[in-house]
Amino acid sequence: MSGDIFVIVEHRDGTVLDPTFELLGRARALAGASGGEAVAVLLGSGASDLAGSLSAAGRVIAVDGPGLESFSPSAYQAALVPLIRDRAPALVLVANSGAGMDVAAGLSVALELPLAAYAVDLELDGNGPLVTCQLYAGKIQAKVRFEGGRGIVTVIAGSFPAEAGAVGGSPTVEALVPAATDDRVRFVDLLRPEAGDVDITRESILVSVGRGIGEQDNIELVEALATALGGAVSSSRPIADLGWLPRTRQVGKSGLKVKPKAYLALGISGAPEHLEGMRGAELIIAVNSDPRAPIFSVAHYGAVADLLDVVPALTTRLGG
Ligand SMILES: Cc1cc2nc3c(=O)[nH]c(=O)nc-3n(C[C@H](O)[C@H](O)[C@H](O)COP(=O)(O)OP(=O)(O)OC[C@H]3O[C@@H](n4cnc5c(N)ncnc54)[C@H](O)[C@@H]3O)c2cc1C
């Protein structure tokens, strides 16, 4: 086993996505303790152009070959299995995204390596990796160790600062052509969010509403608060599923990832799928009537209160 920590790079439209930088920053910090390097593993046709943005890595392995034109979990797996088997890194870090979870689960089975999913923290001590994972929609956190000391970890977005993975030096780049491919899963089309609505990924203040709002008519209370704050309204998935707000306002795993300066979570429980989209906000303020709601574990400020009391009072206070 080497002490290297592999980070599987996630990229789209020619850009490395933030969760990769979060993982690289953590891998870089841990590589000293593991006695190896943070190694960015970059798959895709022409993707080696992105190696320059992975400067926090000690090394970049750029894998390009048939089947890697677009993301495909089976082609990624076919390329990664022999690489991970040969190099035997101490840890393989993958974003806990839809694509990342597909890849990580397949690697775990094919390589017979344990998988710790929904991780929110990762340390290395005298006994090897110690992973903190969320269970039961974030209501419980479990500390996990790997039998044999090696494993794969999928990390929820926003768990580590992306800035730490966007610094560094000039890694060596190793080009690799995979010996095998697998076309059982083929990329067809990328479905992008509808255009024409507010782009919540660009807003600096988001007033986000969840099922705690109770009724569709109450959404206007939240809109008034967002206007008074100079921000926009976003939501958890159930609100978009109910059609109370457009899908373009949905934050989370199957919605949009946002990183505003301030995120108000009103009547949102804080399920992992929601946290995945907003943990990176600079300031998180939660209002929830349940003191045990998981959202309070990520909030910087919180009020255990009825949002139907707090929201109008705050809007009035702001002169709205
Ligand atoms: C594959 C997959 C993808 C998913 N993708 C997403 C996603 O992208 N985004 C997303 O959000 N979810 C997503 N989910 C769903 C997610 O698991 C949760 O079900 C969802 O986030 C819950 O939304 P919520 O917090 O609004 O509702 P709930 O979990 O029902 O929480 C409502 C909260 O409101 C509080 N509350 C009730 N009344 C009041 C009041 N008067 N004042 C204050 N607080 C009150 C309650 O205490 C509770 O905490 C996904 C799930 C799966 C399986």
Side-chain angles (χ1 to χ4, degrees):
M1 172 173 104
S2 82
D4 289 345
I5 301 178
F6 275 21
V7 172
I8 310 301
V9 176
E10 195 161 329
H11 57 93
R12 193 178 309 132
D13 297 331
T15 307
V16 174
L17 304 184
D18 261 0
T20 293
F21 292 115
E22 295 168 15
L23 298 182
L24 267 182
R26 194 62 184 157
R28 188 179 158 91
L30 295 177
S34 70
E37 279 185 319
V39 180
V41 183
L42 179 59
L43 293 97
S45 294
S48 57
D49 293 352
L50 298 176
S53 58
L54 301 167
S55 50
R59 198 157 24 106
V60 177
I61 303 178
V63 187
D64 191 355
L68 295 175
E69 297 78 19
S70 303
F71 172 73
S72 146
S74 58
Y76 265 47
Q77 186 179 322
L80 286 169
V81 164
L83 176 67
I84 295 171
R85 193 170 277 142
D86 290 353
R87 311 283 174 101
L91 282 170
V92 179
L93 306 188
V94 187
N96 200 90
S97 58
M101 286 167 76
D102 265 0
V103 171
L107 291 177
S108 170
V109 173
L111 291 160
E112 296 186 347
L113 279 176
L115 167 65
Y118 291 97
V120 290
D121 200 7
L122 169 61
E123 298 158 54
L124 274 180
D125 60 21
N127 296 315
L130 179 62
V131 192
T132 307
C133 296
Q134 287 192 342
L135 301 178
Y136 298 108
K139 292 188 176 65
I140 296 177
Q141 294 204 338
K143 299 264 186 198
V144 176
R145 286 205 189 273
F146 296 126
E147 219 169 84
R150 295 178 63 213
I152 301 169
V153 186
T154 63
V155 181
I156 293 180
S159 299
F160 306 117
E163 296 71 29
V167 295
S170 39
T172 52
V173 181
E174 175 187 348
L176 210 73
V177 180
T181 188
D182 180 340
D183 66 356
R184 279 179 297 172
V185 181
R186 261 164 292 154
F187 175 85
V188 178
D189 196 8
L190 176 64
L191 303 176
R192 294 177 191 273
E194 307 142 32
D197 189 31
V198 171
D199 182 354
I200 58 169
T201 64
R202 292 176 183 272
E203 293 288 332
S204 58
I205 299 178
L206 285 176
V207 180
S208 209
V209 62
R211 199 144 43 186
I213 194 71
E215 293 173 24
Q216 184 170 15
D217 286 350
N218 293 334
I219 300 263
E220 65 187 32
L221 299 175
V222 180
E223 275 164 352
L225 177 58
T227 305
L229 283 167
V233 176
S234 57
S235 79
S236 66
R237 179 165 153 172
I239 300 300
D241 286 347
L242 286 161
W244 294 359
L245 283 171
R247 182 69 63 194
T248 42
R249 304 293 184 102
Q250 182 189 321
V251 173
K253 184 184 195 63
S254 49
L256 293 164
K257 312 268 182 292
V258 297
K259 225 174 176 182
K261 288 197 183 310
Y263 188 88
L264 275 71
L266 307 173
I268 293 177
S269 59
E273 294 85 4
H274 187 79
L275 300 186
E276 188 171 325
M278 45 63 76
R279 286 180 77 106
E282 280 177 39
L283 178 71
I284 300 171
I285 303 169
V287 178
N288 199 300
S289 49
D290 177 1
R292 290 181 305 166
I295 192 74
F296 288 125
S297 66
V298 297
H300 301 97
Y301 296 96
V304 178
D306 187 332
L307 75 91
L308 298 175
D309 294 334
V310 172
V311 171
L314 201 52
T315 309
T316 307
R317 200 63 182 266
L318 289 162

mmCIF file of all heavy atoms in Angstrom, residues 11-55:
data_model
loop_
_atom_site.group_PDB
_atom_site.id
_atom_site.type_symbol
_atom_site.label_atom_id
_atom_site.label_comp_id
_atom_site.label_asym_id
_atom_site.label_seq_id
_atom_site.Cartn_x
_atom_site.Cartn_y
_atom_site.Cartn_z
ATOM 1 N N HIS A 11 -15.557 17.087 -13.232
ATOM 2 C CA HIS A 11 -15.524 18.304 -14.058
ATOM 3 C C HIS A 11 -16.701 18.311 -15.013
ATOM 4 O O HIS A 11 -17.247 17.253 -15.354
ATOM 5 C CB HIS A 11 -14.199 18.402 -14.820
ATOM 6 C CG HIS A 11 -13.886 17.222 -15.688
ATOM 7 N ND1 HIS A 11 -14.227 17.155 -17.018
ATOM 8 C CD2 HIS A 11 -13.279 16.034 -15.407
ATOM 9 C CE1 HIS A 11 -13.827 15.999 -17.525
ATOM 10 N NE2 HIS A 11 -13.254 15.286 -16.562
ATOM 11 N N ARG A 12 -17.095 19.514 -15.409
ATOM 12 C CA ARG A 12 -18.195 19.641 -16.366
ATOM 13 C C ARG A 12 -17.982 20.917 -17.174
ATOM 14 O O ARG A 12 -17.553 21.939 -16.628
ATOM 15 C CB ARG A 12 -19.538 19.730 -15.620
ATOM 16 C CG ARG A 12 -20.743 19.547 -16.543
ATOM 17 C CD ARG A 12 -22.054 19.579 -15.801
ATOM 18 N NE ARG A 12 -22.064 18.683 -14.668
ATOM 19 C CZ ARG A 12 -22.487 19.034 -13.450
ATOM 20 N NH1 ARG A 12 -22.945 20.231 -13.214
ATOM 21 N NH2 ARG A 12 -22.471 18.169 -12.468
ATOM 22 N N ASP A 13 -18.282 20.845 -18.483
ATOM 23 C CA ASP A 13 -18.151 22.007 -19.367
ATOM 24 C C ASP A 13 -16.753 22.631 -19.265
ATOM 25 O O ASP A 13 -16.600 23.859 -19.242
ATOM 26 C CB ASP A 13 -19.211 23.080 -19.039
ATOM 27 C CG ASP A 13 -20.625 22.561 -19.270
ATOM 28 O OD1 ASP A 13 -20.799 21.685 -20.136
ATOM 29 O OD2 ASP A 13 -21.545 23.024 -18.577
ATOM 30 N N GLY A 14 -15.741 21.805 -19.143
ATOM 31 C CA GLY A 14 -14.366 22.315 -19.144
ATOM 32 C C GLY A 14 -13.959 22.992 -17.846
ATOM 33 O O GLY A 14 -12.969 23.741 -17.814
ATOM 34 N N THR A 15 -14.682 22.739 -16.763
ATOM 35 C CA THR A 15 -14.344 23.361 -15.477
ATOM 36 C C THR A 15 -14.335 22.295 -14.388
ATOM 37 O O THR A 15 -15.243 21.457 -14.326
ATOM 38 C CB THR A 15 -15.421 24.422 -15.105
ATOM 39 O OG1 THR A 15 -15.571 25.304 -16.191
ATOM 40 C CG2 THR A 15 -15.033 25.196 -13.866
ATOM 41 N N VAL A 16 -13.320 22.368 -13.540
ATOM 42 C CA VAL A 16 -13.280 21.468 -12.381
ATOM 43 C C VAL A 16 -14.298 21.986 -11.360
ATOM 44 O O VAL A 16 -14.342 23.181 -11.056
ATOM 45 C CB VAL A 16 -11.861 21.438 -11.762
ATOM 46 C CG1 VAL A 16 -11.847 20.624 -10.483
ATOM 47 C CG2 VAL A 16 -10.860 20.876 -12.776
ATOM 48 N N LEU A 17 -15.133 21.099 -10.827
ATOM 49 C CA LEU A 17 -16.188 21.521 -9.905
ATOM 50 C C LEU A 17 -15.638 21.687 -8.482
ATOM 51 O O LEU A 17 -14.684 21.015 -8.087
ATOM 52 C CB LEU A 17 -17.339 20.515 -9.916
ATOM 53 C CG LEU A 17 -17.973 20.247 -11.295
ATOM 54 C CD1 LEU A 17 -19.159 19.306 -11.170
ATOM 55 C CD2 LEU A 17 -18.416 21.554 -11.962
ATOM 56 N N ASP A 18 -16.277 22.577 -7.730
ATOM 57 C CA ASP A 18 -15.809 22.920 -6.385
ATOM 58 C C ASP A 18 -15.554 21.727 -5.460
ATOM 59 O O ASP A 18 -14.554 21.708 -4.733
ATOM 60 C CB ASP A 18 -16.813 23.853 -5.706
ATOM 61 C CG ASP A 18 -16.353 25.307 -5.796
ATOM 62 O OD1 ASP A 18 -15.271 25.542 -6.375
ATOM 63 O OD2 ASP A 18 -17.073 26.179 -5.289
ATOM 64 N N PRO A 19 -16.436 20.697 -5.440
ATOM 65 C CA PRO A 19 -16.185 19.581 -4.509
ATOM 66 C C PRO A 19 -14.805 18.947 -4.708
ATOM 67 O O PRO A 19 -14.190 18.460 -3.754
ATOM 68 C CB PRO A 19 -17.312 18.591 -4.834
ATOM 69 C CG PRO A 19 -18.421 19.462 -5.320
ATOM 70 C CD PRO A 19 -17.747 20.568 -6.100
ATOM 71 N N THR A 20 -14.287 18.968 -5.939
ATOM 72 C CA THR A 20 -12.948 18.412 -6.173
ATOM 73 C C THR A 20 -11.900 19.234 -5.433
ATOM 74 O O THR A 20 -10.974 18.677 -4.821
ATOM 75 C CB THR A 20 -12.643 18.394 -7.685
ATOM 76 O OG1 THR A 20 -13.512 17.452 -8.300
ATOM 77 C CG2 THR A 20 -11.193 18.007 -7.958
ATOM 78 N N PHE A 21 -12.045 20.566 -5.463
ATOM 79 C CA PHE A 21 -11.075 21.399 -4.744
ATOM 80 C C PHE A 21 -11.171 21.169 -3.231
ATOM 81 O O PHE A 21 -10.174 21.192 -2.519
ATOM 82 C CB PHE A 21 -11.293 22.878 -5.088
ATOM 83 C CG PHE A 21 -10.948 23.193 -6.515
ATOM 84 C CD1 PHE A 21 -11.919 23.612 -7.404
ATOM 85 C CD2 PHE A 21 -9.651 23.042 -6.980
ATOM 86 C CE1 PHE A 21 -11.607 23.882 -8.724
ATOM 87 C CE2 PHE A 21 -9.321 23.309 -8.301
ATOM 88 C CZ PHE A 21 -10.303 23.727 -9.183
ATOM 89 N N GLU A 22 -12.400 20.939 -2.766
ATOM 90 C CA GLU A 22 -12.572 20.654 -1.334
ATOM 91 C C GLU A 22 -11.819 19.368 -0.966
ATOM 92 O O GLU A 22 -11.140 19.295 0.057
ATOM 93 C CB GLU A 22 -14.068 20.505 -1.010
ATOM 94 C CG GLU A 22 -14.835 21.807 -1.212
ATOM 95 C CD GLU A 22 -16.345 21.623 -1.170
ATOM 96 O OE1 GLU A 22 -16.815 20.565 -0.708
ATOM 97 O OE2 GLU A 22 -17.059 22.546 -1.598
ATOM 98 N N LEU A 23 -11.939 18.348 -1.822
ATOM 99 C CA LEU A 23 -11.272 17.068 -1.550
ATOM 100 C C LEU A 23 -9.756 17.205 -1.677
ATOM 101 O O LEU A 23 -9.002 16.639 -0.873
ATOM 102 C CB LEU A 23 -11.759 15.996 -2.530
ATOM 103 C CG LEU A 23 -13.243 15.652 -2.471
ATOM 104 C CD1 LEU A 23 -13.567 14.543 -3.470
ATOM 105 C CD2 LEU A 23 -13.625 15.204 -1.072
ATOM 106 N N LEU A 24 -9.315 17.965 -2.673
ATOM 107 C CA LEU A 24 -7.870 18.127 -2.872
ATOM 108 C C LEU A 24 -7.224 18.833 -1.688
ATOM 109 O O LEU A 24 -6.134 18.451 -1.247
ATOM 110 C CB LEU A 24 -7.606 18.955 -4.130
ATOM 111 C CG LEU A 24 -7.402 18.199 -5.430
ATOM 112 C CD1 LEU A 24 -7.099 19.181 -6.555
ATOM 113 C CD2 LEU A 24 -6.255 17.189 -5.303
ATOM 114 N N GLY A 25 -7.923 19.861 -1.169
ATOM 115 C CA GLY A 25 -7.397 20.590 -0.006
ATOM 116 C C GLY A 25 -7.228 19.643 1.171
ATOM 117 O O GLY A 25 -6.205 19.660 1.864
ATOM 118 N N ARG A 26 -8.218 18.787 1.381
ATOM 119 C CA ARG A 26 -8.156 17.856 2.513
ATOM 120 C C ARG A 26 -7.063 16.803 2.268
ATOM 121 O O ARG A 26 -6.304 16.436 3.171
ATOM 122 C CB ARG A 26 -9.518 17.166 2.696
ATOM 123 C CG ARG A 26 -9.669 16.454 3.998
ATOM 124 C CD ARG A 26 -9.566 17.422 5.130
ATOM 125 N NE ARG A 26 -9.610 16.804 6.435
ATOM 126 C CZ ARG A 26 -9.112 17.373 7.525
ATOM 127 N NH1 ARG A 26 -8.536 18.549 7.456
ATOM 128 N NH2 ARG A 26 -9.193 16.761 8.680
ATOM 129 N N ALA A 27 -7.007 16.290 1.034
ATOM 130 C CA ALA A 27 -6.000 15.269 0.708
ATOM 131 C C ALA A 27 -4.597 15.833 0.899
ATOM 132 O O ALA A 27 -3.708 15.163 1.434
ATOM 133 C CB ALA A 27 -6.195 14.797 -0.734
ATOM 134 N N ARG A 28 -4.420 17.067 0.514
ATOM 135 C CA ARG A 28 -3.116 17.728 0.650
ATOM 136 C C ARG A 28 -2.736 17.835 2.129
ATOM 137 O O ARG A 28 -1.604 17.572 2.512
ATOM 138 C CB ARG A 28 -3.234 19.110 0.005
ATOM 139 C CG ARG A 28 -1.984 19.892 -0.134
ATOM 140 C CD ARG A 28 -2.346 21.218 -0.810
ATOM 141 N NE ARG A 28 -1.358 22.222 -0.550
ATOM 142 C CZ ARG A 28 -0.305 22.445 -1.326
ATOM 143 N NH1 ARG A 28 -0.145 21.730 -2.407
ATOM 144 N NH2 ARG A 28 0.568 23.375 -1.026
ATOM 145 N N ALA A 29 -3.739 18.223 2.947
ATOM 146 C CA ALA A 29 -3.462 18.373 4.382
ATOM 147 C C ALA A 29 -3.130 17.022 5.030
ATOM 148 O O ALA A 29 -2.323 16.952 5.949
ATOM 149 C CB ALA A 29 -4.666 19.004 5.072
ATOM 150 N N LEU A 30 -3.752 15.947 4.519
ATOM 151 C CA LEU A 30 -3.570 14.627 5.145
ATOM 152 C C LEU A 30 -2.378 13.867 4.566
ATOM 153 O O LEU A 30 -1.916 12.897 5.175
ATOM 154 C CB LEU A 30 -4.833 13.774 4.968
ATOM 155 C CG LEU A 30 -6.101 14.273 5.669
ATOM 156 C CD1 LEU A 30 -7.275 13.358 5.334
ATOM 157 C CD2 LEU A 30 -5.902 14.325 7.180
ATOM 158 N N ALA A 31 -1.912 14.284 3.392
ATOM 159 C CA ALA A 31 -0.879 13.500 2.696
ATOM 160 C C ALA A 31 0.400 13.402 3.520
ATOM 161 O O ALA A 31 1.063 12.358 3.521
ATOM 162 C CB ALA A 31 -0.595 14.093 1.322
ATOM 163 N N GLY A 32 0.722 14.483 4.257
ATOM 164 C CA GLY A 32 1.919 14.447 5.107
ATOM 165 C C GLY A 32 1.824 13.299 6.100
ATOM 166 O O GLY A 32 2.753 12.489 6.246
ATOM 167 N N ALA A 33 0.653 13.197 6.752
ATOM 168 C CA ALA A 33 0.460 12.159 7.781
ATOM 169 C C ALA A 33 0.421 10.759 7.179
ATOM 170 O O ALA A 33 0.790 9.778 7.825
ATOM 171 C CB ALA A 33 -0.831 12.438 8.539
ATOM 172 N N SER A 34 -0.017 10.666 5.918
ATOM 173 C CA SER A 34 -0.119 9.330 5.314
ATOM 174 C C SER A 34 1.205 8.914 4.653
ATOM 175 O O SER A 34 1.337 7.785 4.194
ATOM 176 C CB SER A 34 -1.250 9.294 4.277
ATOM 177 O OG SER A 34 -0.902 10.058 3.145
ATOM 178 N N GLY A 35 2.145 9.860 4.590
ATOM 179 C CA GLY A 35 3.458 9.544 4.002
ATOM 180 C C GLY A 35 3.409 9.434 2.489
ATOM 181 O O GLY A 35 4.249 8.780 1.863
ATOM 182 N N GLY A 36 2.430 10.079 1.873
ATOM 183 C CA GLY A 36 2.338 10.023 0.405
ATOM 184 C C GLY A 36 1.996 11.392 -0.163
ATOM 185 O O GLY A 36 2.286 12.416 0.448
ATOM 186 N N GLU A 37 1.350 11.380 -1.328
ATOM 187 C CA GLU A 37 1.002 12.613 -2.019
ATOM 188 C C GLU A 37 -0.502 12.671 -2.252
ATOM 189 O O GLU A 37 -1.169 11.628 -2.330
ATOM 190 C CB GLU A 37 1.649 12.620 -3.411
ATOM 191 C CG GLU A 37 3.094 13.021 -3.444
ATOM 192 C CD GLU A 37 3.608 13.109 -4.874
ATOM 193 O OE1 GLU A 37 3.253 12.225 -5.703
ATOM 194 O OE2 GLU A 37 4.348 14.047 -5.160
ATOM 195 N N ALA A 38 -1.011 13.897 -2.429
ATOM 196 C CA ALA A 38 -2.385 14.065 -2.921
ATOM 197 C C ALA A 38 -2.315 13.910 -4.435
ATOM 198 O O ALA A 38 -1.594 14.649 -5.106
ATOM 199 C CB ALA A 38 -2.912 15.441 -2.551
ATOM 200 N N VAL A 39 -3.022 12.926 -4.970
ATOM 201 C CA VAL A 39 -2.952 12.632 -6.405
ATOM 202 C C VAL A 39 -4.328 12.882 -7.030
ATOM 203 O O VAL A 39 -5.319 12.258 -6.639
ATOM 204 C CB VAL A 39 -2.537 11.154 -6.644
ATOM 205 C CG1 VAL A 39 -2.478 10.853 -8.137
ATOM 206 C CG2 VAL A 39 -1.197 10.862 -5.990
ATOM 207 N N ALA A 40 -4.388 13.829 -7.975
ATOM 208 C CA ALA A 40 -5.656 14.101 -8.666
ATOM 209 C C ALA A 40 -5.765 13.162 -9.861
ATOM 210 O O ALA A 40 -4.863 13.109 -10.699
ATOM 211 C CB ALA A 40 -5.685 15.550 -9.140
ATOM 212 N N VAL A 41 -6.856 12.406 -9.923
ATOM 213 C CA VAL A 41 -7.051 11.477 -11.046
ATOM 214 C C VAL A 41 -8.133 12.077 -11.950
ATOM 215 O O VAL A 41 -9.295 12.224 -11.561
ATOM 216 C CB VAL A 41 -7.469 10.078 -10.541
ATOM 217 C CG1 VAL A 41 -7.585 9.116 -11.719
ATOM 218 C CG2 VAL A 41 -6.459 9.549 -9.528
ATOM 219 N N LEU A 42 -7.717 12.455 -13.143
ATOM 220 C CA LEU A 42 -8.536 13.239 -14.057
ATOM 221 C C LEU A 42 -8.890 12.376 -15.261
ATOM 222 O O LEU A 42 -8.021 11.977 -16.024
ATOM 223 C CB LEU A 42 -7.669 14.440 -14.480
ATOM 224 C CG LEU A 42 -8.163 15.481 -15.441
ATOM 225 C CD1 LEU A 42 -9.428 16.142 -14.914
ATOM 226 C CD2 LEU A 42 -7.073 16.541 -15.617
ATOM 227 N N LEU A 43 -10.174 12.065 -15.426
ATOM 228 C CA LEU A 43 -10.580 11.225 -16.557
ATOM 229 C C LEU A 43 -11.338 12.048 -17.575
ATOM 230 O O LEU A 43 -12.093 12.948 -17.215
ATOM 231 C CB LEU A 43 -11.481 10.080 -16.089
ATOM 232 C CG LEU A 43 -10.828 9.030 -15.205
ATOM 233 C CD1 LEU A 43 -11.104 9.325 -13.744
ATOM 234 C CD2 LEU A 43 -11.315 7.638 -15.534
ATOM 235 N N GLY A 44 -11.184 11.733 -18.843
ATOM 236 C CA GLY A 44 -11.976 12.383 -19.877
ATOM 237 C C GLY A 44 -11.149 12.768 -21.079
ATOM 238 O O GLY A 44 -9.956 13.043 -20.954
ATOM 239 N N SER A 45 -11.820 12.823 -22.254
ATOM 240 C CA SER A 45 -11.116 13.211 -23.473
ATOM 241 C C SER A 45 -10.784 14.697 -23.418
ATOM 242 O O SER A 45 -11.662 15.522 -23.181
ATOM 243 C CB SER A 45 -12.003 12.941 -24.686
ATOM 244 O OG SER A 45 -12.182 11.560 -24.794
ATOM 245 N N GLY A 46 -9.533 15.012 -23.601
ATOM 246 C CA GLY A 46 -9.098 16.408 -23.573
ATOM 247 C C GLY A 46 -9.082 17.000 -22.178
ATOM 248 O O GLY A 46 -8.791 18.179 -21.991
ATOM 249 N N ALA A 47 -9.396 16.199 -21.190
ATOM 250 C CA ALA A 47 -9.500 16.737 -19.832
ATOM 251 C C ALA A 47 -8.136 17.119 -19.267
ATOM 252 O O ALA A 47 -8.063 17.885 -18.313
ATOM 253 C CB ALA A 47 -10.182 15.724 -18.918
ATOM 254 N N SER A 48 -7.054 16.604 -19.885
ATOM 255 C CA SER A 48 -5.726 16.901 -19.336
ATOM 256 C C SER A 48 -5.456 18.408 -19.344
ATOM 257 O O SER A 48 -4.616 18.892 -18.597
ATOM 258 C CB SER A 48 -4.646 16.152 -20.099
ATOM 259 O OG SER A 48 -4.721 16.497 -21.459
ATOM 260 N N ASP A 49 -6.227 19.157 -20.175
ATOM 261 C CA ASP A 49 -6.089 20.623 -20.160
ATOM 262 C C ASP A 49 -6.394 21.196 -18.780
ATOM 263 O O ASP A 49 -5.975 22.299 -18.451
ATOM 264 C CB ASP A 49 -7.091 21.266 -21.143
ATOM 265 C CG ASP A 49 -6.755 20.917 -22.588
ATOM 266 O OD1 ASP A 49 -5.679 20.323 -22.799
ATOM 267 O OD2 ASP A 49 -7.570 21.238 -23.478
ATOM 268 N N LEU A 50 -7.177 20.439 -18.012
ATOM 269 C CA LEU A 50 -7.590 20.934 -16.693
ATOM 270 C C LEU A 50 -6.526 20.704 -15.628
ATOM 271 O O LEU A 50 -6.670 21.162 -14.501
ATOM 272 C CB LEU A 50 -8.890 20.240 -16.250
ATOM 273 C CG LEU A 50 -10.114 20.478 -17.131
ATOM 274 C CD1 LEU A 50 -11.294 19.645 -16.637
ATOM 275 C CD2 LEU A 50 -10.479 21.956 -17.090
ATOM 276 N N ALA A 51 -5.456 19.970 -15.990
ATOM 277 C CA ALA A 51 -4.437 19.615 -14.988
ATOM 278 C C ALA A 51 -3.855 20.866 -14.332
ATOM 279 O O ALA A 51 -3.537 20.864 -13.139
ATOM 280 C CB ALA A 51 -3.339 18.777 -15.627
ATOM 281 N N GLY A 52 -3.750 21.950 -15.114
ATOM 282 C CA GLY A 52 -3.175 23.191 -14.591
ATOM 283 C C GLY A 52 -3.957 23.754 -13.422
ATOM 284 O O GLY A 52 -3.400 24.463 -12.574
ATOM 285 N N SER A 53 -5.262 23.469 -13.372
ATOM 286 C CA SER A 53 -6.051 24.034 -12.267
ATOM 287 C C SER A 53 -6.006 23.136 -11.024
ATOM 288 O O SER A 53 -6.607 23.456 -10.013
ATOM 289 C CB SER A 53 -7.503 24.253 -12.714
ATOM 290 O OG SER A 53 -8.052 23.033 -13.154
ATOM 291 N N LEU A 54 -5.280 22.018 -11.116
ATOM 292 C CA LEU A 54 -5.231 21.089 -9.978
ATOM 293 C C LEU A 54 -3.898 21.206 -9.236
ATOM 294 O O LEU A 54 -3.302 20.219 -8.821
ATOM 295 C CB LEU A 54 -5.453 19.655 -10.484
ATOM 296 C CG LEU A 54 -6.789 19.445 -11.214
ATOM 297 C CD1 LEU A 54 -6.799 18.119 -11.950
ATOM 298 C CD2 LEU A 54 -7.948 19.514 -10.223
ATOM 299 N N SER A 55 -3.450 22.450 -9.064
ATOM 300 C CA SER A 55 -2.100 22.668 -8.551
ATOM 301 C C SER A 55 -1.942 22.276 -7.080
ATOM 302 O O SER A 55 -0.813 22.175 -6.603
ATOM 303 C CB SER A 55 -1.688 24.122 -8.766
ATOM 304 O OG SER A 55 -2.702 24.965 -8.284
#
